[in-house]
mmCIF file of all heavy atoms in Angstrom:
data_model
loop_
_atom_site.group_PDB
_atom_site.id
_atom_site.type_symbol
_atom_site.label_atom_id
_atom_site.label_comp_id
_atom_site.label_asym_id
_atom_site.label_seq_id
_atom_site.Cartn_x
_atom_site.Cartn_y
_atom_site.Cartn_z
ATOM 1 N N GLU A 180 -3.680 18.749 14.702
ATOM 2 C CA GLU A 180 -3.041 18.224 15.929
ATOM 3 C C GLU A 180 -1.700 17.554 15.600
ATOM 4 O O GLU A 180 -0.705 17.750 16.263
ATOM 5 C CB GLU A 180 -3.944 17.149 16.549
ATOM 6 C CG GLU A 180 -4.926 17.671 17.588
ATOM 7 C CD GLU A 180 -5.888 16.557 17.985
ATOM 8 O OE1 GLU A 180 -5.465 15.384 18.211
ATOM 9 O OE2 GLU A 180 -7.075 16.877 18.033
ATOM 10 N N VAL A 181 -1.707 16.721 14.561
ATOM 11 C CA VAL A 181 -0.525 15.901 14.248
ATOM 12 C C VAL A 181 0.577 16.723 13.578
ATOM 13 O O VAL A 181 1.758 16.477 13.770
ATOM 14 C CB VAL A 181 -0.940 14.697 13.338
ATOM 15 C CG1 VAL A 181 0.273 13.947 12.827
ATOM 16 C CG2 VAL A 181 -1.866 13.753 14.099
ATOM 17 N N GLN A 182 0.191 17.727 12.764
ATOM 18 C CA GLN A 182 1.161 18.554 12.029
ATOM 19 C C GLN A 182 2.142 17.700 11.206
ATOM 20 O O GLN A 182 3.377 17.822 11.356
ATOM 21 C CB GLN A 182 1.962 19.416 13.024
ATOM 22 C CG GLN A 182 1.112 20.299 13.909
ATOM 23 C CD GLN A 182 1.061 21.732 13.396
ATOM 24 O OE1 GLN A 182 2.066 22.380 13.226
ATOM 25 N NE2 GLN A 182 -0.127 22.203 13.120
ATOM 26 N N PRO A 183 1.632 16.839 10.348
ATOM 27 C CA PRO A 183 2.535 15.937 9.615
ATOM 28 C C PRO A 183 3.354 16.655 8.549
ATOM 29 O O PRO A 183 2.861 17.577 7.893
ATOM 30 C CB PRO A 183 1.566 14.946 8.955
ATOM 31 C CG PRO A 183 0.311 15.742 8.762
ATOM 32 C CD PRO A 183 0.223 16.674 9.938
ATOM 33 N N GLU A 184 4.584 16.209 8.382
ATOM 34 C CA GLU A 184 5.423 16.710 7.281
ATOM 35 C C GLU A 184 5.205 15.848 6.038
ATOM 36 O O GLU A 184 5.355 16.294 4.913
ATOM 37 C CB GLU A 184 6.898 16.641 7.671
ATOM 38 C CG GLU A 184 7.255 17.488 8.878
ATOM 39 C CD GLU A 184 8.567 17.043 9.483
ATOM 40 O OE1 GLU A 184 8.555 16.068 10.270
ATOM 41 O OE2 GLU A 184 9.599 17.662 9.177
ATOM 42 N N ILE A 185 4.923 14.562 6.287
ATOM 43 C CA ILE A 185 4.661 13.623 5.194
ATOM 44 C C ILE A 185 3.330 12.918 5.481
ATOM 45 O O ILE A 185 3.104 12.468 6.614
ATOM 46 C CB ILE A 185 5.750 12.518 5.127
ATOM 47 C CG1 ILE A 185 7.169 13.101 5.186
ATOM 48 C CG2 ILE A 185 5.513 11.595 3.933
ATOM 49 C CD1 ILE A 185 7.827 13.425 3.906
ATOM 50 N N VAL A 186 2.484 12.814 4.468
ATOM 51 C CA VAL A 186 1.216 12.085 4.631
ATOM 52 C C VAL A 186 1.143 10.994 3.558
ATOM 53 O O VAL A 186 1.379 11.263 2.374
ATOM 54 C CB VAL A 186 0.000 13.036 4.465
ATOM 55 C CG1 VAL A 186 -1.308 12.250 4.544
ATOM 56 C CG2 VAL A 186 0.028 14.138 5.516
ATOM 57 N N PHE A 187 0.848 9.782 3.989
ATOM 58 C CA PHE A 187 0.565 8.687 3.055
ATOM 59 C C PHE A 187 -0.928 8.439 3.124
ATOM 60 O O PHE A 187 -1.435 8.030 4.186
ATOM 61 C CB PHE A 187 1.323 7.411 3.448
ATOM 62 C CG PHE A 187 2.817 7.511 3.271
ATOM 63 C CD1 PHE A 187 3.634 7.803 4.361
ATOM 64 C CD2 PHE A 187 3.407 7.311 2.040
ATOM 65 C CE1 PHE A 187 5.013 7.898 4.208
ATOM 66 C CE2 PHE A 187 4.782 7.399 1.870
ATOM 67 C CZ PHE A 187 5.597 7.691 2.966
ATOM 68 N N HIS A 188 -1.617 8.684 2.024
ATOM 69 C CA HIS A 188 -3.073 8.509 2.042
ATOM 70 C C HIS A 188 -3.443 7.157 1.414
ATOM 71 O O HIS A 188 -3.476 7.018 0.187
ATOM 72 C CB HIS A 188 -3.736 9.668 1.291
ATOM 73 C CG HIS A 188 -5.213 9.508 1.170
ATOM 74 N ND1 HIS A 188 -6.009 9.098 2.222
ATOM 75 C CD2 HIS A 188 -6.063 9.700 0.111
ATOM 76 C CE1 HIS A 188 -7.265 9.025 1.815
ATOM 77 N NE2 HIS A 188 -7.321 9.378 0.542
ATOM 78 N N LEU A 189 -3.711 6.187 2.286
ATOM 79 C CA LEU A 189 -4.089 4.844 1.825
ATOM 80 C C LEU A 189 -5.538 4.504 2.149
ATOM 81 O O LEU A 189 -6.055 3.491 1.667
ATOM 82 C CB LEU A 189 -3.180 3.775 2.465
ATOM 83 C CG LEU A 189 -1.769 3.655 1.911
ATOM 84 C CD1 LEU A 189 -0.843 4.662 2.560
ATOM 85 C CD2 LEU A 189 -1.211 2.265 2.131
ATOM 86 N N ALA A 190 -6.182 5.301 3.037
ATOM 87 C CA ALA A 190 -7.553 4.980 3.460
ATOM 88 C C ALA A 190 -8.470 4.971 2.246
ATOM 89 O O ALA A 190 -8.478 5.918 1.467
ATOM 90 C CB ALA A 190 -8.042 6.011 4.470
ATOM 91 N N ALA A 191 -9.197 3.907 2.074
ATOM 92 C CA ALA A 191 -10.066 3.786 0.897
ATOM 93 C C ALA A 191 -10.993 2.591 1.038
ATOM 94 O O ALA A 191 -10.721 1.665 1.807
ATOM 95 C CB ALA A 191 -9.217 3.583 -0.364
ATOM 96 N N GLU A 192 -12.070 2.620 0.266
ATOM 97 C CA GLU A 192 -12.772 1.376 -0.028
ATOM 98 C C GLU A 192 -11.890 0.703 -1.073
ATOM 99 O O GLU A 192 -11.686 1.240 -2.151
ATOM 100 C CB GLU A 192 -14.158 1.682 -0.606
ATOM 101 C CG GLU A 192 -14.877 0.456 -1.177
ATOM 102 C CD GLU A 192 -14.891 -0.709 -0.214
ATOM 103 O OE1 GLU A 192 -15.557 -0.605 0.806
ATOM 104 O OE2 GLU A 192 -14.200 -1.729 -0.467
ATOM 105 N N SER A 193 -11.344 -0.484 -0.732
ATOM 106 C CA SER A 193 -10.269 -1.034 -1.562
ATOM 107 C C SER A 193 -10.690 -2.238 -2.399
ATOM 108 O O SER A 193 -9.836 -2.817 -3.062
ATOM 109 C CB SER A 193 -9.093 -1.432 -0.656
ATOM 110 O OG SER A 193 -9.456 -2.555 0.125
ATOM 111 N N LEU A 194 -11.968 -2.611 -2.359
ATOM 112 C CA LEU A 194 -12.360 -3.842 -3.050
ATOM 113 C C LEU A 194 -13.358 -3.595 -4.186
ATOM 114 O O LEU A 194 -14.379 -2.924 -3.992
ATOM 115 C CB LEU A 194 -12.975 -4.835 -2.052
ATOM 116 C CG LEU A 194 -12.055 -5.258 -0.900
ATOM 117 C CD1 LEU A 194 -12.795 -6.182 0.055
ATOM 118 C CD2 LEU A 194 -10.797 -5.932 -1.418
ATOM 119 N N VAL A 195 -13.052 -4.179 -5.336
ATOM 120 C CA VAL A 195 -13.940 -4.042 -6.497
ATOM 121 C C VAL A 195 -15.327 -4.610 -6.165
ATOM 122 O O VAL A 195 -16.351 -3.981 -6.423
ATOM 123 C CB VAL A 195 -13.353 -4.789 -7.726
ATOM 124 C CG1 VAL A 195 -14.336 -4.772 -8.891
ATOM 125 C CG2 VAL A 195 -12.028 -4.176 -8.152
ATOM 126 N N GLY A 196 -15.356 -5.781 -5.526
ATOM 127 C CA GLY A 196 -16.623 -6.453 -5.211
ATOM 128 C C GLY A 196 -17.512 -5.584 -4.335
ATOM 129 O O GLY A 196 -18.696 -5.387 -4.617
ATOM 130 N N ARG A 197 -16.914 -5.015 -3.266
ATOM 131 C CA ARG A 197 -17.710 -4.180 -2.347
ATOM 132 C C ARG A 197 -18.143 -2.884 -3.032
ATOM 133 O O ARG A 197 -19.172 -2.306 -2.695
ATOM 134 C CB ARG A 197 -16.920 -3.885 -1.082
ATOM 135 C CG ARG A 197 -17.239 -4.870 0.036
ATOM 136 C CD ARG A 197 -17.019 -4.316 1.425
ATOM 137 N NE ARG A 197 -15.832 -3.526 1.576
ATOM 138 C CZ ARG A 197 -14.769 -3.879 2.300
ATOM 139 N NH1 ARG A 197 -14.754 -5.032 2.929
ATOM 140 N NH2 ARG A 197 -13.736 -3.076 2.415
ATOM 141 N N SER A 198 -17.336 -2.429 -4.016
ATOM 142 C CA SER A 198 -17.696 -1.175 -4.688
ATOM 143 C C SER A 198 -18.972 -1.349 -5.515
ATOM 144 O O SER A 198 -19.725 -0.408 -5.717
ATOM 145 C CB SER A 198 -16.540 -0.679 -5.556
ATOM 146 O OG SER A 198 -16.507 -1.308 -6.821
ATOM 147 N N TYR A 199 -19.227 -2.591 -5.990
ATOM 148 C CA TYR A 199 -20.489 -2.855 -6.696
ATOM 149 C C TYR A 199 -21.642 -2.870 -5.697
ATOM 150 O O TYR A 199 -22.753 -2.454 -6.014
ATOM 151 C CB TYR A 199 -20.427 -4.200 -7.419
ATOM 152 C CG TYR A 199 -19.799 -4.114 -8.796
ATOM 153 C CD1 TYR A 199 -18.539 -4.650 -9.039
ATOM 154 C CD2 TYR A 199 -20.472 -3.515 -9.860
ATOM 155 C CE1 TYR A 199 -17.965 -4.583 -10.305
ATOM 156 C CE2 TYR A 199 -19.905 -3.447 -11.127
ATOM 157 C CZ TYR A 199 -18.659 -3.986 -11.347
ATOM 158 O OH TYR A 199 -18.095 -3.905 -12.588
ATOM 159 N N GLY A 200 -21.360 -3.345 -4.472
ATOM 160 C CA GLY A 200 -22.413 -3.410 -3.444
ATOM 161 C C GLY A 200 -22.830 -2.020 -2.996
ATOM 162 O O GLY A 200 -24.003 -1.793 -2.674
ATOM 163 N N ASP A 201 -21.878 -1.088 -2.924
ATOM 164 C CA ASP A 201 -22.200 0.262 -2.458
ATOM 165 C C ASP A 201 -21.371 1.291 -3.231
ATOM 166 O O ASP A 201 -20.420 1.873 -2.710
ATOM 167 C CB ASP A 201 -21.939 0.381 -0.947
ATOM 168 C CG ASP A 201 -22.621 1.599 -0.358
ATOM 169 O OD1 ASP A 201 -23.025 2.494 -1.145
ATOM 170 O OD2 ASP A 201 -22.741 1.677 0.877
ATOM 171 N N PRO A 202 -21.754 1.513 -4.504
ATOM 172 C CA PRO A 202 -20.977 2.462 -5.316
ATOM 173 C C PRO A 202 -20.947 3.874 -4.732
ATOM 174 O O PRO A 202 -19.923 4.540 -4.761
ATOM 175 C CB PRO A 202 -21.688 2.456 -6.674
ATOM 176 C CG PRO A 202 -22.778 1.470 -6.604
ATOM 177 C CD PRO A 202 -22.866 0.908 -5.236
#
Side-chain angles (χ1 to χ4, degrees):
E180 268 172 44
V181 172
Q182 303 261 303
E184 299 161 277
I185 312 269
V186 176
F187 291 98
H188 175 44
L189 285 84
E192 170 50 68
S193 70
L194 300 177
V195 174
R197 265 206 319 248
S198 83
Y199 275 109
D201 196 344

